[in-house]
């Protein structure tokens, strides 16, 4: 929860592939409509990577922007954490691919998997590693090629997701938003609410698993919706209470971008006006671990987050996982 002096965000950046698919275009190959998608989710379009672009390529674009905005030499980065559920390969890690593509030193690099909460989990973990004094600057990335695990025959899921990446450079000292604390949790009781059935050790790839389309994401949308609102409120309230902060003192909430109706329900439960919530899901869809850093980067570039204001970032995802982070801009 409260970790005393936390890390500073020295720079933030994001990257999305150039291909944009709007709801009208999607409706040509999926039995859906712009009206259904917008009214049920708020999504208007999403970006999709092409066949040659993998998650580490998206991460590379975001990382370069974050490093450039941090204004530090890559020599100073000694830790790379990539949050993703769509790694380039099961192993080695996407973080290792990224480290090499960026031309970093032979620094500690690993992936972290907490689904849509992954980026905030990664911030929590990287901050603790920096606080240990054994690392000085961390590159923390949320990157996803969700299109690689979407089932185009399942209209209840394939209209929801998009591809993209966001990144931050963290340091112990310097100019930039100051992280104040973290609240991460999980409940593994119901893994099949949102999961990828095959491809792991429980159900390795086989002719059957492919025929049954088990390498694609599956979700019980209604149950996830209800859990999402509940756990995001819980994590937010616990974190704010641990810091003796009233929800009304929060200036900006950057929530996981899954569904605008989830964001509205969260705003109601926290009794906060909806205009405190930054949303860009209408242009990106749900980009899983990339959604919060993508939103953070856009809000930063728009100049919405004024120095001294208080921010709350909060996410939920498969697992179920949840995580919240407080930040003083
Ligand atoms: O990052 C975490 C990941 N996931 C989420 O956060 C998703 C959480 N869940 C949700 O956002 C919502 O539950 C959905 C957007 C997935 C679904 O919205 P809903 O209001 O819960 O719809 P529903 O599942 O209750 O389906 C309503 C109707 C059904 O038809 P019937 O049974 O009422 O005749 C569906 O078959 O909408 C139908 N439907 C569609 N119709 C057109 C489902 N998907 C589509 C579609 N286009 N793409």
């Amino acid at each position: 929860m409260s970790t005393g002096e936390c890390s500073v965000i020295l720079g933030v950046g994001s990257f999305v592939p150039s291909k944009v698919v709007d709801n009208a275009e999607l409706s040509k190959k999926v039995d859906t409509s712009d009206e259904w998608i917008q009214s049920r989710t708020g999504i208007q379009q999403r970006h999709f990577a092409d066949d040659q672009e993998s998650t580490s390529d998206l991460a590379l674009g975001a990382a370069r922007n974050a490093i450039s905005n941090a204004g530090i030499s890559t020599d100073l980065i000694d830790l790379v954490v990539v949050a993703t559920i769509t790694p380039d390969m099961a192993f080695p890690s996407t973080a290792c691919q990224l480290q090499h593509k960026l031309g970093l030193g032979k620094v500690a690099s690993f992936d972290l998997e907490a689904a849509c909460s992954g980026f905030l989990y990664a911030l929590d973990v990287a901050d603790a590693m920096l606080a240990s004094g054994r690392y000085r600057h961390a590159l923390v990335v949320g990157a996803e090629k969700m299109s690689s695990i979407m089932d185009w025959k399942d209209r209840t899921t394939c209209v929801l997701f998009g591809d993209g990446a966001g990144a931050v450079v963290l340091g112990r000292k310097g100019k930039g938003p100051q992280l104040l604390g973290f609240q991460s949790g999980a409940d593994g009781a119901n893994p099949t609410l949102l999961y990828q059935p095959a491809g792991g050790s429980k159900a390795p790839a086989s002719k059957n698993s492919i025929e049954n389309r088990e390498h694609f994401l599956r979700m019980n949308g209604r149950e996830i919706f209800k859990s999402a609102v509940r756990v995001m409120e819980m994590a937010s309230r616990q974190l704010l209470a641990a810091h003796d902060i009233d929800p009304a003192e929060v200036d900006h909430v950057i929530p996981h971008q899954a569904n605008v109706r989830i964001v509205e329900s969260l705003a109601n439960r926290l009794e906060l006006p909806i205009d405190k919530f930054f949303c860009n899901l209408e242009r990106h869809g749900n980009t899983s671990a990339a959604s919060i850093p993508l939103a953070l980067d856009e809000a930063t570039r728009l100049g919405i987050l004024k120095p001294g204001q208080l921010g709350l970032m909060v996410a939920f995802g498969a697992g179920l996982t949840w995580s919240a982070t407080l930040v003083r801009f």
Side-chain angles (χ1 to χ4, degrees):
M1 250 169 260
S2 179
T3 56
E5 186 75 357
C6 296
S7 305
V8 175
I9 298 178
L10 299 174
V12 53
S14 64
F15 179 84
V16 285
S18 55
K19 184 177 169 192
V20 176
V21 175
D22 66 16
N23 293 345
E25 199 177 334
L26 206 64
S27 309
K28 290 180 192 159
K29 69 173 197 176
V30 179
D31 177 20
T32 188
S33 66
D34 177 46
E35 197 282 327
W36 191 95
I37 301 171
Q38 281 211 50
S39 63
R40 299 285 176 140
T41 71
I43 298 164
Q44 296 171 10
Q45 63 167 53
R46 68 288 290 146
H47 293 251
F48 285 140
D50 65 30
D51 291 345
Q52 276 71 49
E53 278 174 311
S54 64
T55 295
S56 66
D57 297 315
L58 308 182
L60 179 64
R64 281 189 175 138
N65 289 332
I67 293 166
S68 155
N69 290 332
I72 69 164
S73 157
T74 48
D75 300 346
L76 294 177
I77 293 170
D78 51 6
L79 175 64
V80 180
V81 187
V82 175
T84 187
I85 54 168
T86 50
D88 284 16
M89 298 172 268
F91 68 89
S93 72
T94 300
C96 286
Q97 314 302 304
L98 178 62
Q99 179 226 61
H100 176 69
K101 287 181 180 181
L102 274 170
L104 299 182
K106 311 295 179 204
V107 301
S109 304
F110 65 95
D111 286 0
L112 182 154
E113 198 272 271
C116 303
S117 313
F119 177 74
L120 296 187
Y121 259 72
L123 278 188
D124 194 347
V125 167
D127 174 71
M129 291 179 76
L130 295 187
S132 76
R134 297 208 297 278
Y135 303 89
R136 290 175 303 165
H137 295 95
L139 174 65
V140 180
V141 185
E144 302 283 13
K145 184 175 176 180
M146 293 303 287
S147 57
S148 66
I149 58 166
M150 278 158 43
D151 185 348
W152 290 105
K153 290 193 172 164
D154 177 7
R155 69 174 183 168
T156 68
T157 56
C158 72
V159 302
L160 304 174
F161 297 94
D163 300 337
V168 296
V169 177
L170 291 188
R172 291 305 286 172
K173 288 191 279 245
K175 229 172 135 234
Q178 169 76 54
L179 297 174
L180 302 178
F182 309 88
Q183 171 73 45
S184 299
D187 176 358
N190 296 299
T192 57
L193 286 180
L194 177 49
Y195 72 133
Q196 187 178 2
S201 61
K202 194 172 175 187
S206 68
K207 192 164 169 281
N208 268 353
S209 70
I210 289 170
E211 278 169 8
N212 294 334
R213 310 182 74 75
E214 289 169 354
H215 298 84
F216 296 122
L217 171 155
R218 288 191 188 168
M219 177 171 70
N220 179 334
R222 278 187 208 178
E223 286 307 313
I224 288 285
F225 190 112
K226 284 188 268 179
S227 302
V229 177
R230 185 174 49 78
V231 301
M232 287 208 289
E233 182 196 9
M234 178 191 70
S236 301
R237 286 197 185 279
Q238 284 178 353
L239 181 59
L240 289 166
H243 288 262
D244 212 10
I245 294 172
D246 189 88
E249 292 173 56
V250 174
D251 296 298
H252 301 283
V253 183
I254 301 184
H256 171 49
Q257 312 279 316
N259 186 325
V260 76
R261 291 189 294 134
I262 292 178
V263 177
E264 286 163 359
S265 300
L266 179 65
N268 279 336
R269 283 182 173 232
L270 291 174
E271 296 176 80
L272 291 176
I274 193 71
D275 60 9
K276 285 194 173 186
F277 289 70
F278 183 80
C279 279
N280 63 1
L281 70 89
E282 70 281 2
R283 281 173 289 115
H284 298 291
N286 182 348
T287 56
S288 183
S291 95
I292 288 192
L294 248 180
L296 177 66
D297 184 46
E298 284 195 17
T300 302
R301 281 189 281 120
L302 289 168
I304 293 169
L305 316 170
K306 309 282 185 221
Q309 288 186 326
L310 185 65
L312 170 69
M313 301 187 274
V314 59
F316 70 96
L320 294 176
T321 56
W322 55 86
S323 191
T325 306
L326 267 178
V327 56
R328 179 74 65 189
F329 295 111

